[in-house]
Amino acid sequence: MLSVEEARVRIVAALRPVGTEWVNIADAWGRVLAAPVTARHDKPLADVSAMDGYAVRGADCATVPVRLRVIGSAPAGHPFAGTVGPGEAVRLFTGSVIPVGADAVIIQEDTDLGQDTVEVRFAPRPRQHIRRRAGDFAAGDTLLAPGRRLTARDIGIAASADRPWLAVHRRPRVAILSTGDEVARPGEPVPAGGVISSNSLALAAMVRAAGGEPIDLGIAPDDLDTIAEAARGATGCDLIVTSGGASVGAHDLVRDALAPAGLELAFWKIAMRPGKPFMFGRVGSTPLLGLPGNPVSALVCGLLFLVPAIEKLAGLPGEAPRPVRAIAGAALKANDHRADHLRAALARQEDGTLVATPFPVQDSSLMAGLARAEALILRPPHAPAVAEGEAVEVLLLGGRDI
């Protein structure tokens, strides 16, 4: 069986980013940039005032107090057309263009706020309170590099660079197929001995959060032909995700059902708990992730493998979720040969240290426990026993993905 990290590395290495499209900047938040963003103009476009005050010549204010003649006003967006000469000043406001002849700004608090004349009470430093042209960035500067998920800050700087359209990777289309005679959708009649499906909806939410576009292929009963027919709905998708049917039971039919369509398995089974029965391969040219049917197993596998896969398709590196340090809120026994992911509650001590306390029951069918969990305690294969208060690593839950 593969390790968790080796499985993720092999999945990500087998994927390539999807194509690109142009989107309006208003719709670009959360998308992955596919081309650099360069500035079309200097910012600011001219020397401008950083404060409300008066544009002056430093030479006129070497000895203070001094009274200057106010020859005009230049609100932001309305530059003064003339030149500031000896003994003159121009009323300015934050963002006003510095008029020709002036080389400093006196803030209004350092004057008597005169209208026709103004008394300057403090000598300015050279270029005081002046924001230089191109002080933020210059025309042609590269402001954003490809391969980053766009944040609100990124949208702001792209707008400042006068880029109304941005080249981004399109959202990966992810087909989701659940299997099983016993599975029913929420709100539908539940068959005898059946269960209500949570995997397809939860995985679809995870796909959206990771930047993908989920395509629901429904629930296929345990029948080879029906599973194969449902999977044909993934035509044109970038990734197929199945839920259930990936183990070794008599009704685990996904591999056999997709074999005629050209399923080639890259690997099957991972040394982890929950989530051991996991498949990765291709159906023709389309990559496939075969997730377990137990809901906790499906979502933990989704966090560890599906999210990095979508990120790689979307133009990101597809990195593993980053663990953080905590201390154990209860003793943990020595681990076996499989990496364990224990659902846990979090608390924070007065010094800021995180305390992760595992739930007493870790069954992979218990969605209530996963819903309450705030972290997964990571237990590597063959990890020794941990006493209460000793260090552990955890994956934080409750973000965009799970």
Side-chain angles (χ1 to χ4, degrees), residues 109-314:
E109 292 87 348
D110 291 342
T111 73
D112 64 353
L113 280 175
Q115 299 297 310
D116 297 323
T117 65
V118 62
E119 183 181 82
V120 176
R121 295 167 177 168
F122 293 92
R125 299 185 307 276
R127 300 194 64 81
Q128 177 174 279
H129 302 310
I130 293 178
R131 293 173 177 157
R132 294 177 179 269
R133 176 173 180 163
D136 194 356
F137 52 77
D141 283 354
T142 297
L143 304 177
L144 297 172
R148 61 185 290 142
R149 193 184 295 280
L150 293 169
T151 65
R153 291 172 292 134
D154 297 331
I155 298 300
I157 197 169
S160 296
D162 196 17
R163 293 295 179 181
W165 294 87
L166 300 177
V168 298
H169 289 280
R170 64 171 176 80
R171 298 185 190 277
R173 293 185 288 267
V174 181
I176 301 173
L177 173 64
S178 294
T179 67
D181 288 341
E182 77 281 13
V183 181
R185 289 183 178 275
E188 295 181 351
V190 182
V195 296
I196 299 172
S197 172
S198 62
N199 287 359
S200 58
L201 293 171
L203 290 170
M206 184 178 284
V207 167
R208 289 190 189 93
E213 177 186 344
I215 310 296
D216 187 0
L217 301 185
I219 300 172
D222 292 324
D223 175 78
L224 292 174
D225 292 337
T226 305
I227 294 173
E229 177 62 27
R232 280 191 278 274
T235 301
C237 289
D238 304 298
L239 179 66
I240 302 172
V241 176
T242 62
S243 171
S247 191
V248 295
H251 296 281
D252 294 312
L253 306 176
V254 169
R255 286 175 297 158
D256 292 339
L258 298 184
L263 173 63
E264 296 182 1
L265 280 184
F267 60 81
W268 174 52
K269 294 184 182 180
I270 300 178
M272 63 180 288
R273 183 174 40 246
K276 173 185 172 183
F278 174 92
M279 296 187 299
F280 175 62
R282 288 185 180 273
V283 180
S285 61
T286 307
L288 174 139
L289 299 181
L291 275 57
N294 274 327
V296 175
S297 301
L299 290 180
V300 170
C301 285
L303 177 65
L304 298 177
F305 308 119
L306 173 58
V307 170
I310 294 171
E311 290 181 347
K312 179 63 179 291
L313 290 169

Side-chain angles (χ1 to χ4, degrees), residues 1-12 267 270 305:
M1 289 187 290
L2 293 180
S3 70
V4 171
E5 180 59 15
E6 184 179 358
R8 184 195 62 80
V9 168
R10 290 181 60 176
I11 291 169
V12 169
F267 60 81
I270 300 178
F305 308 119

Side-chain angles (χ1 to χ4, degrees), residues 20-117:
T20 64
E21 61 185 4
W22 289 88
V23 298
N24 188 279
I25 190 172
D27 301 317
W29 177 87
R31 304 298 294 273
V32 178
L33 195 62
V37 173
T38 58
R40 297 177 66 186
H41 308 287
D42 296 340
K43 181 177 180 292
L45 289 167
D47 288 359
V48 298
S49 177
M51 307 289 285
D52 290 356
Y54 296 83
V56 300
R57 294 168 11 112
D60 292 334
C61 305
T63 301
V64 291
V66 63
R67 185 162 291 278
L68 305 175
R69 185 165 62 93
V70 179
I71 61 172
S73 178
H78 300 277
F80 181 70
T83 299
V84 178
E88 296 176 339
V90 171
R91 181 74 163 105
L92 298 182
F93 304 88
T94 302
S96 296
V97 173
I98 302 299
V100 176
D103 57 14
V105 173
I106 298 292
I107 62 172
Q108 61 187 25
E109 292 87 348
D110 291 342
T111 73
D112 64 353
L113 280 175
Q115 299 297 310
D116 297 323
T117 65

